[in-house]
Amino acid sequence: MTDSSIEAISPKAVAAALSRVRAQRPLVQCITNDVVQEITANVLLAAGMSPAMVPAPEEAAAFAQFAADALLCNVGTPSEENSRGMKLAAATMSEAGKPWTLDPVGAGGTAWRDDLISDLIDLRPTVIRGNGSEILACAGFAHQYKGVDSLDSSRSALDAAKALAQRSGGIVCVSGETDYATDGTRVLAAVGGNVMATLVVGTGCSLSALTAGFAAKAEDPLVATIACCQFVKRAAEIAGNASRGPGSFHDAYLDALYTLQPENFLEEAV
């Protein structure tokens, strides 16, 4: 794939997507991993959304049907119980025509996890967001891990992302030094960020939650997905410049998500 076939997201598109999210304040139901519950909720609140941690299979589908505007399914610490909750909620969202995002953490790691991810992909997520290795694994391509950390660049996973988008019928987003989103044909990119984000647990997982919220009531989920990525990369840049290390980055990142306004991106378009 040539660079000329990759489109950069426009500042105006980012501003429009952020304006819509701030006006709608979508309620994002999160069935996520045990390690990242707090940062996920805090990131959603800081960005102007409402989090709801509702994983129990006894209520996950009902909440998805009657309350949630969007859903995140993150398989970082899967169990029989939360995997049932994910499947029930995801099926409900798909049937209701509401958006949901799958974060296939550790795809390719074990057969049980891969079976769960495959079952969730069959439920037609609106967005699949992962790192390079996860997207390669989901698409059946060769991949490399160190634990759950990707050893494959986002750029190297673009062909896999397009193939996975065509299989799933949704958007596939690959995060890395540059973030890419594709519907199987078009490819949009978001640039920027700060390496400090890789030293704070949950920044990637919480990006998936934000992606779910940005997709809520979006006319174009592809644009909404990459606009979310650009918003987060801009926040990470601001936080990185203001921080001395991972601890101060965590706090500065939440502050940046809160203080960034649509007009900050419109200024770039002038």
Side-chain angles (χ1 to χ4, degrees):
M1 181 179 297
T2 64
D3 289 342
S4 61
S5 63
I6 299 172
E7 306 169 48
I9 185 68
S10 74
K12 288 184 178 179
V14 180
L18 182 57
S19 293
R20 177 177 52 79
V21 166
R22 292 273 169 80
Q24 293 174 350
R25 298 189 64 82
L27 175 60
V28 182
Q29 179 179 357
C30 300
I31 307 178
T32 191
N33 77 66
D34 296 339
V35 182
V36 303
Q37 298 265 6
E38 182 176 356
I39 190 172
T40 299
N42 282 336
V43 160
L44 286 168
L45 286 169
M49 307 183 207
S50 297
M53 278 36 190
V54 187
E58 293 81 3
E59 63 174 350
F63 193 90
Q65 182 176 1
F66 297 112
D69 297 308
L71 168 72
L72 165 67
C73 292
N74 175 304
V75 303
T77 53
S79 68
E80 288 289 351
E81 182 176 18
N82 71 19
S83 66
R84 284 197 298 122
M86 288 183 203
K87 291 176 185 179
L88 289 167
T92 299
M93 295 297 277
S94 290
E95 290 168 6
K98 297 186 196 179
W100 70 279
T101 294
L102 170 63
D103 190 334
V105 178
T110 67
W112 186 83
R113 186 183 298 249
D114 284 349
D115 286 345
L116 170 59
I117 291 169
S118 181
D119 288 346
L120 288 167
I121 291 173
D122 287 343
L123 293 172
R124 302 186 71 79
T126 309
V127 182
I128 302 171
R129 192 224 60 88
N131 61 37
S133 295
E134 289 161 350
I135 297 306
L136 286 162
C138 285
F141 288 49
H143 58 281
Q144 302 178 77
Y145 278 121
K146 181 179 180 182
V148 293
D149 293 330
S150 178
L151 296 179
D152 297 292
S153 70
S154 54
R155 185 70 168 80
S156 71
L158 273 180
D159 287 341
K162 293 181 74 173
L164 184 58
Q166 290 165 359
R167 170 193 161 189
S168 69
I171 306 303
V172 175
C173 179
V174 196
S175 297
E177 185 174 349
T178 299
D179 291 353
Y180 300 98
T182 180
D183 59 5
T185 303
R186 295 177 68 197
V187 179
L188 302 181
V191 298
N194 189 281
V195 69
M196 198 70 70
T198 64
L199 302 178
V200 175
V201 171
T203 52
C205 293
S206 59
L207 169 59
S208 293
L210 290 171
T211 300
F214 267 74
K217 301 178 183 177
E219 291 185 5
D220 188 338
L222 176 62
V223 171
T225 296
I226 204 66
C228 176
C229 292
Q230 191 63 70
F231 166 61
V232 167
K233 281 189 172 293
R234 178 70 178 275
E237 285 179 353
I238 294 169
N241 291 335
S243 64
R244 302 180 304 279
S248 55
F249 176 86
H250 175 280
D251 293 342
Y253 179 57
L254 292 176
D255 289 346
L257 291 170
Y258 177 76
T259 56
L260 266 175
Q261 299 298 319
E263 51 264 33
N264 297 132
F265 294 95
L266 290 174
E267 291 166 0
E268 299 175 5
V270 175

Coordinates of all heavy atoms in Angstrom, one line a residue, residues 101-133:
T101 N -17.6 -1.7 20.1 CA -16.2 -1.9 19.8 C -15.6 -3.1 20.4 O -15.9 -3.3 21.6 CB -15.5 -0.6 20.2 OG1 -15.9 0.5 19.4 CG2 -14.0 -0.8 20.0
L102 N -14.9 -3.8 19.7 CA -14.1 -5.0 20.2 C -12.7 -4.7 20.3 O -12.0 -4.2 19.3 CB -14.3 -6.2 19.3 CG -13.4 -7.4 19.6 CD1 -13.8 -8.0 20.9 CD2 -13.6 -8.5 18.5
D103 N -12.1 -4.9 21.5 CA -10.7 -4.7 21.7 C -10.1 -6.2 21.9 O -10.3 -6.7 23.0 CB -10.4 -3.9 22.9 CG -8.9 -3.5 23.1 OD1 -8.1 -4.3 22.6 OD2 -8.6 -2.4 23.7
P104 N -9.5 -6.8 20.9 CA -9.0 -8.2 21.0 C -7.7 -8.3 21.7 O -6.7 -8.8 21.1 CB -9.0 -8.6 19.5 CG -8.6 -7.3 18.8 CD -9.2 -6.2 19.6
V105 N -7.6 -7.9 22.9 CA -6.3 -7.9 23.7 C -5.7 -9.3 23.7 O -6.4 -10.3 24.0 CB -6.5 -7.4 25.1 CG1 -5.2 -7.5 25.9 CG2 -7.1 -6.0 25.1
G106 N -4.5 -9.4 23.3 CA -3.8 -10.7 23.3 C -4.2 -11.7 22.3 O -4.0 -12.9 22.4
A107 N -4.9 -11.2 21.2 CA -5.3 -12.2 20.1 C -4.1 -13.0 19.6 O -3.0 -12.4 19.5 CB -5.9 -11.4 19.0
G108 N -4.3 -14.3 19.4 CA -3.2 -15.1 19.0 C -2.5 -15.8 20.2 O -1.6 -16.6 20.0
G109 N -2.9 -15.4 21.4 CA -2.1 -15.9 22.6 C -2.5 -17.3 23.0 O -1.6 -18.1 23.2
T110 N -3.8 -17.6 23.0 CA -4.2 -19.0 23.4 C -5.5 -19.3 22.5 O -6.2 -18.4 22.1 CB -4.7 -19.1 24.9 OG1 -5.8 -18.3 25.1 CG2 -3.5 -18.6 25.8
A111 N -5.7 -20.6 22.4 CA -6.8 -21.1 21.6 C -8.2 -20.6 22.2 O -9.1 -20.2 21.5 CB -6.8 -22.6 21.5
W112 N -8.3 -20.7 23.5 CA -9.5 -20.3 24.2 C -9.9 -18.8 23.9 O -11.0 -18.5 23.6 CB -9.5 -20.6 25.7 CG -10.8 -20.4 26.4 CD1 -11.8 -21.2 26.5 CD2 -11.2 -19.2 27.1 NE1 -12.9 -20.7 27.2 CE2 -12.5 -19.4 27.6 CE3 -10.6 -17.9 27.3 CZ2 -13.2 -18.4 28.3 CZ3 -11.3 -17.0 28.1 CH2 -12.6 -17.2 28.6
R113 N -8.8 -18.0 24.1 CA -9.0 -16.5 23.8 C -9.4 -16.3 22.4 O -10.3 -15.5 22.1 CB -7.8 -15.8 24.2 CG -7.9 -14.3 24.1 CD -6.6 -13.6 24.5 NE -6.2 -13.9 25.8 CZ -6.1 -13.0 26.9 NH1 -6.5 -11.8 26.6 NH2 -5.8 -13.4 28.0
D114 N -8.7 -17.0 21.5 CA -9.0 -16.8 20.1 C -10.4 -17.2 19.7 O -11.0 -16.6 18.8 CB -8.0 -17.5 19.2 CG -6.6 -16.8 19.2 OD1 -6.5 -15.7 19.6 OD2 -5.6 -17.5 18.7
D115 N -10.9 -18.3 20.3 CA -12.2 -18.7 20.0 C -13.2 -17.7 20.5 O -14.2 -17.4 19.8 CB -12.5 -20.0 20.8 CG -11.9 -21.2 20.1 OD1 -11.4 -21.1 18.9 OD2 -11.8 -22.3 20.8
L116 N -13.0 -17.1 21.7 CA -13.8 -16.0 22.2 C -13.8 -14.8 21.2 O -14.9 -14.3 20.8 CB -13.4 -15.6 23.5 CG -14.0 -14.3 24.1 CD1 -15.5 -14.4 24.2 CD2 -13.4 -13.9 25.5
I117 N -12.7 -14.4 20.8 CA -12.5 -13.3 19.9 C -13.3 -13.6 18.5 O -14.0 -12.7 18.0 CB -11.1 -12.9 19.6 CG1 -10.4 -12.3 20.9 CG2 -10.9 -12.0 18.4 CD1 -8.9 -12.2 20.8
S118 N -13.1 -14.8 18.0 CA -13.8 -15.2 16.8 C -15.3 -15.1 16.9 O -16.0 -14.6 16.0 CB -13.3 -16.6 16.4 OG -13.9 -16.9 15.1
D119 N -15.8 -15.6 18.1 CA -17.2 -15.5 18.3 C -17.7 -14.1 18.3 O -18.8 -13.8 17.8 CB -17.6 -16.2 19.6 CG -17.4 -17.7 19.6 OD1 -17.4 -18.3 18.5 OD2 -17.4 -18.4 20.7
L120 N -16.9 -13.2 19.0 CA -17.3 -11.8 19.0 C -17.3 -11.1 17.7 O -18.1 -10.3 17.3 CB -16.4 -11.1 20.0 CG -16.7 -11.4 21.5 CD1 -15.6 -10.9 22.4 CD2 -18.0 -10.9 22.0
I121 N -16.3 -11.5 16.9 CA -16.2 -10.9 15.5 C -17.4 -11.3 14.7 O -18.0 -10.5 13.9 CB -14.9 -11.3 14.8 CG1 -13.7 -10.6 15.5 CG2 -14.9 -11.0 13.3 CD1 -12.3 -11.1 15.0
D122 N -17.9 -12.6 14.9 CA -19.1 -13.0 14.2 C -20.3 -12.2 14.5 O -21.3 -12.3 13.8 CB -19.3 -14.5 14.5 CG -18.3 -15.4 13.8 OD1 -17.6 -15.0 12.9 OD2 -18.2 -16.6 14.2
L123 N -20.3 -11.5 15.7 CA -21.4 -10.7 16.1 C -21.3 -9.3 15.5 O -22.1 -8.4 15.8 CB -21.5 -10.6 17.6 CG -21.8 -11.9 18.3 CD1 -21.7 -11.8 19.8 CD2 -23.2 -12.4 17.9
R124 N -20.4 -9.1 14.6 CA -20.3 -7.9 13.7 C -20.1 -6.6 14.5 O -21.0 -5.7 14.6 CB -21.5 -7.8 12.8 CG -21.7 -9.0 11.9 CD -22.8 -8.8 10.9 NE -22.4 -7.9 9.9 CZ -21.7 -8.1 8.8 NH1 -21.1 -9.4 8.7 NH2 -21.4 -7.2 7.9
P125 N -18.9 -6.5 15.1 CA -18.6 -5.2 15.8 C -18.5 -4.1 14.8 O -18.2 -4.2 13.7 CB -17.2 -5.5 16.4 CG -16.6 -6.6 15.7 CD -17.8 -7.4 15.2
T126 N -18.9 -2.9 15.3 CA -18.8 -1.7 14.5 C -17.4 -1.3 14.3 O -17.0 -0.9 13.2 CB -19.5 -0.5 15.2 OG1 -20.8 -0.9 15.6 CG2 -19.6 0.7 14.3
V127 N -16.6 -1.5 15.3 CA -15.1 -1.2 15.3 C -14.4 -2.3 16.0 O -14.8 -2.8 17.0 CB -14.8 0.2 15.9 CG1 -13.3 0.5 15.8 CG2 -15.6 1.3 15.3
I128 N -13.3 -2.8 15.4 CA -12.3 -3.6 16.0 C -11.0 -2.8 16.2 O -10.5 -2.3 15.2 CB -12.0 -4.9 15.2 CG1 -13.2 -5.7 15.0 CG2 -10.9 -5.7 16.0 CD1 -13.0 -6.9 14.0
R129 N -10.6 -2.5 17.4 CA -9.4 -1.7 17.6 C -8.3 -2.5 18.4 O -8.6 -3.0 19.5 CB -9.7 -0.4 18.4 CG -8.6 0.6 18.3 CD -8.3 1.2 19.7 NE -7.9 0.3 20.7 CZ -6.6 -0.1 21.0 NH1 -5.6 0.3 20.2 NH2 -6.4 -0.9 22.0
G130 N -7.1 -2.5 17.9 CA -6.1 -3.2 18.5 C -4.7 -2.7 18.1 O -4.6 -1.9 17.2
N131 N -3.7 -3.3 18.6 CA -2.3 -3.0 18.2 C -2.0 -3.8 16.9 O -2.8 -4.7 16.5 CB -1.3 -3.1 19.3 CG -1.2 -4.5 19.8 OD1 -1.3 -5.5 19.1 ND2 -1.0 -4.7 21.2
G132 N -0.8 -3.6 16.4 CA -0.5 -4.3 15.2 C -0.5 -5.8 15.3 O -1.1 -6.5 14.4
S133 N 0.0 -6.4 16.3 CA 0.1 -7.8 16.5 C -1.3 -8.4 16.7 O -1.6 -9.5 16.2 CB 1.0 -8.2 17.7 OG 2.3 -7.8 17.5

